Amino acid sequence: MAAQKPSVPKGTRDFSPVEMVKRNFIFDTIKEVFKRYGYLPIETPSMENLSTLFGKYGEEGDKLLFKILNSGDYLAKVKTDLKEAESNKFALEISEKGLRYDLTVPFARFVVQHLNEITFPFKRYQIQPVWRADRPQKGRYREFYQCDVDVIGSNSLLNEVELVQIIDQVFQKLNVNALIKINNRKILAGIAEMIGEPDKLTDITVAIDKLEKIGKKGVTDELLAKGLSTNSVAGLDPIFELKGDNAIKLESLRSILKDSEIGLKGVTEVETVLNYFNSLTLNTELELDLTLARGLNYYTGAIFEVKAKDVEIGSICGGGRYDDLTGIFGLKDVSGVGVSFGADRIYDVMELLDVFPKEIIASTTVMFVNFGEKEEKYCLPLLQKLRENGINSEIFPESAKMKKQMTYANNKNIPFVVLVGESEMEKELLTVKDMISGDQSEMKFEELLNKLKNNEK
């Protein structure tokens, strides 16, 4: 039998050590900012009951759920005639569980399930993989990490302000030039009211959310296919045509939505958030964008999306306010707001822009060359002292040829190599080679320790 060619499923990837070091740099940076604002970590299982996931992401989202077959003879209890089976309903008969599609719905489930252990407002962050049965393409994967930060149990718009600050700080620390777009579902609901189609809000938001992909004509065609009249669709023109800075857009909106109570409430909410930044420093541009809709059904207030200014890749962070996500699990009227950072897309952006710090790639600071058993015994206590002082260090595991050991150090980007042979042991000195400059010098162990400590700073 021929050997099987190794492969991974489409839309998934292996990560090399170099890639993992860079990914961990992103995760650590994001985590550090989350913690700075008082958020605490949680984790939820990779799989959830399908009853938890179904119906929370809209019709299109439901199709993208990865379902897990029941164990055992899963066809034994099936009542449906397979020839007439509707695939989603049939899936529910043979699978009770599915891989999580995002971190927000599991978070809502967690909040309700652990209600008595939680202090409200509850500020949590969660960094875990999610799965979507999507068509893999550039920047779109079937398995990818989300870095979510949410606060639930508070209606205050200060939370929206804080999330904008978090987004700003994360991308500043990652050295990515970003644009934060903000809108409000209440404004979109007001516009749906004004064009006489309040019941079609979901159809309108799902279509508008695709504006960048399918263009204005594509959005128009989709809405007409959903049963909106030509006049109603024409009534959306002010959204597509709205120009000017944030203040001018808000003024225009007040006029367009003057007869819509919910629409004006949305305008006031956006204005309140933007006004806070008159007295706060923000390094990232913050823009009101009426075409920002975000297709998920559960958003009810502010919605956010972040784009990288220097790379065409789609959204790298997004989120919004949801007023009753926990209601589906029996806990009514608990408002929350949060955003999710797309770590995989952020990684791709940083690679394209070449903004990863060069020093993070070297996981080892110093390597001891191995000259043999006697030298090993001499070097091991020195290595131990270096590690106790927080210096990442290793010794080559066997006394191989010098060329092989130096190639290893070069390939791992190790900046310093220490050579300890018989003469060094006699003199109680170390020969230290700077692999970047090529300089080589003798020094005592304490000198090396101080040099490396200063180098780490």
Side-chain angles (χ1 to χ4, degrees):
M1 190 172 139
Q4 185 184 336
K5 189 182 173 189
S7 64
V8 297
K10 276 186 181 173
T12 67
R13 297 150 297 158
D14 289 323
F15 297 108
S16 68
V18 168
E19 288 168 323
M20 278 311 302
V21 167
K22 290 177 176 178
R23 284 169 68 80
N24 285 338
F25 173 73
I26 294 172
F27 294 142
D28 292 345
T29 303
I30 290 172
K31 242 185 254 185
E32 186 190 327
V33 177
F34 288 170
K35 289 195 281 191
R36 192 77 70 245
Y37 284 79
Y39 290 79
L40 291 166
I42 68 161
E43 283 200 353
T44 60
S46 304
M47 64 183 97
E48 293 275 349
N49 293 321
L50 274 180
S51 55
T52 299
L53 302 172
F54 252 117
K56 312 304 188 296
Y57 306 106
E59 202 177 314
E60 293 188 25
D62 280 351
K63 289 175 190 166
L64 300 182
L65 290 173
F66 271 113
K67 293 125 191 130
I68 299 168
L69 281 178
N70 294 340
S71 51
D73 186 2
Y74 57 84
L75 284 174
K77 296 176 185 172
V78 172
K79 301 181 183 76
T80 308
D81 179 350
L82 289 185
K83 287 177 187 166
E84 296 165 15
E86 195 270 298
S87 57
N88 256 346
K89 283 182 184 159
F90 178 63
L92 287 170
E93 290 196 52
I94 59 171
S95 52
E96 293 162 3
K97 294 175 284 295
L99 295 177
R100 60 167 173 250
Y101 176 94
D102 74 350
L103 299 177
T104 310
V105 169
F107 171 52
R109 192 257 320 139
F110 176 96
V111 169
V112 178
Q113 202 172 330
H114 299 272
L115 202 55
N116 298 330
E117 306 145 39
I118 290 172
T119 301
F120 289 101
F122 180 46
K123 300 173 83 169
R124 87 81 171 86
Y125 72 83
Q126 194 170 348
I127 298 178
Q128 286 186 280
V130 299
W131 293 267
R132 295 182 187 178
D134 219 338
R135 191 165 64 83
Q137 52 189 287
K138 186 177 171 10
R140 191 181 288 273
Y141 306 103
R142 285 176 167 169
E143 178 185 63
F144 55 97
Y145 267 75
Q146 284 188 337
C147 309
D148 277 24
V149 61
D150 287 77
V151 53
I152 198 163
S154 166
N155 296 308
S156 170
L157 292 171
L158 277 181
N159 299 315
E160 275 84 339
V161 172
E162 193 169 272
L163 288 172
V164 171
Q165 289 178 291
I166 285 172
I167 294 166
D168 175 54
Q169 282 197 17
V170 164
F171 289 113
Q172 196 190 355
K173 282 176 181 285
L174 294 176
N175 209 11
V176 171
N177 189 14
L179 165 66
I180 305 171
K181 294 184 173 192
I182 184 173
N183 196 9
N184 196 297
R185 269 295 176 91
K186 293 183 178 80
I187 293 176
L188 295 170
I191 288 162
E193 248 181 30
M194 295 308 295
I195 63 169
E197 302 280 3
D199 298 337
K200 297 280 187 182
L201 175 62
T202 300
D203 291 335
I204 292 167
T205 51
V206 167
I208 289 175
D209 197 46
K210 297 176 189 167
L211 182 67
E212 267 189 30
K213 287 183 204 159
I214 61 177
K216 186 181 169 185
K217 186 181 182 310
V219 172
T220 301
D221 292 345
E222 185 169 320
L223 289 172
L224 290 171
K226 290 282 186 183
L228 274 79
S229 69
T230 312
N231 280 349
S232 296
V233 175
L236 293 172
D237 275 353
I239 302 184
F240 301 126
E241 307 306 329
L242 204 64
K243 299 282 187 289
D245 64 19
N246 293 337
I248 290 168
K249 286 178 187 171
L250 287 166
E251 202 177 317
S252 305
L253 276 174
R254 282 200 183 282
S255 166
I256 294 166
L257 297 170
K258 63 181 187 296
D259 297 323
S260 168
E261 191 184 333
I262 190 166
L264 289 175
K265 192 170 191 305
V267 173
T268 302
E269 286 183 11
V270 170
E271 194 169 38
T272 304
V273 171
L274 292 174
N275 283 345
Y276 274 107
F277 291 100
N278 294 335
S279 59
L280 293 168
T281 307
L282 201 61
N283 301 286
T284 311
E285 189 185 343
L286 181 57
E287 178 199 323
L288 170 58
D289 181 357
L290 280 204
T291 64
L292 168 59
R294 296 200 64 80
L296 293 174
N297 288 351
Y298 50 62
Y299 292 123
T300 53
I303 38 181
F304 302 100
E305 194 159 279
V306 184
K307 303 266 184 184
K309 279 187 170 180
D310 307 318
V311 176
E312 283 290 320
I313 201 168
S315 135
I316 53 175
C317 175
R321 181 168 284 279
Y322 38 89
D323 275 344
D324 196 23
L325 193 60
T326 54
I328 47 183
F329 301 112
L331 180 64
K332 289 285 178 196
D333 304 321
V334 177
S335 187
V337 61
V339 293
S340 178
F341 290 81
D344 297 276
R345 282 195 183 170
I346 292 169
Y347 180 99
D348 291 346
V349 167
M350 291 179 71
E351 275 288 270
L352 288 164
L353 297 175
D354 193 22
V355 291
F356 280 105
K358 298 290 175 269
E359 66 272 11
I360 66 165
I361 306 305
S363 64
T364 302
T365 306
V366 59
M367 183 195 91
F368 280 66
V369 169
N370 190 327
F371 286 110
E373 199 176 327
K374 195 166 44 166
E375 289 84 352
E376 282 176 7
K377 284 181 178 168
Y378 185 88
C379 292
L380 283 174
L382 303 180
L383 274 159
Q384 189 172 5
K385 277 185 192 167
L386 287 174
R387 290 167 183 153
E388 284 168 357
N389 278 277
I391 308 295
N392 297 352
S393 41
E394 59 181 288
I395 184 168
F396 200 80
E398 57 226 0
S399 54
K401 286 182 178 170
M402 179 67 80
K403 188 184 177 194
K404 183 177 181 181
Q405 298 194 44
M406 293 311 245
T407 302
Y408 173 85
N410 266 326
N411 288 347
K412 281 190 78 176
N413 294 308
I414 297 171
F416 296 101
V417 166
V418 175
L419 301 99
V420 182
E422 280 193 23
S423 65
E424 280 90 358
M425 289 193 297
E426 279 171 23
K427 292 186 279 184
E428 293 191 352
L429 289 170
L430 313 173
T431 299
V432 179
K433 178 166 183 162
D434 184 322
M435 297 294 279
I436 296 158
S437 68
D439 295 341
Q440 196 166 296
S441 55
E442 285 189 336
M443 60 182 74
K444 288 189 173 297
F445 175 76
E446 279 68 27
E447 286 178 74
L448 172 68
L449 181 58
N450 289 330
K451 180 185 176 73
L452 295 175
K453 273 185 166 178
N454 292 329
N455 201 58
E456 291 280 300
K457 285 173 188 172

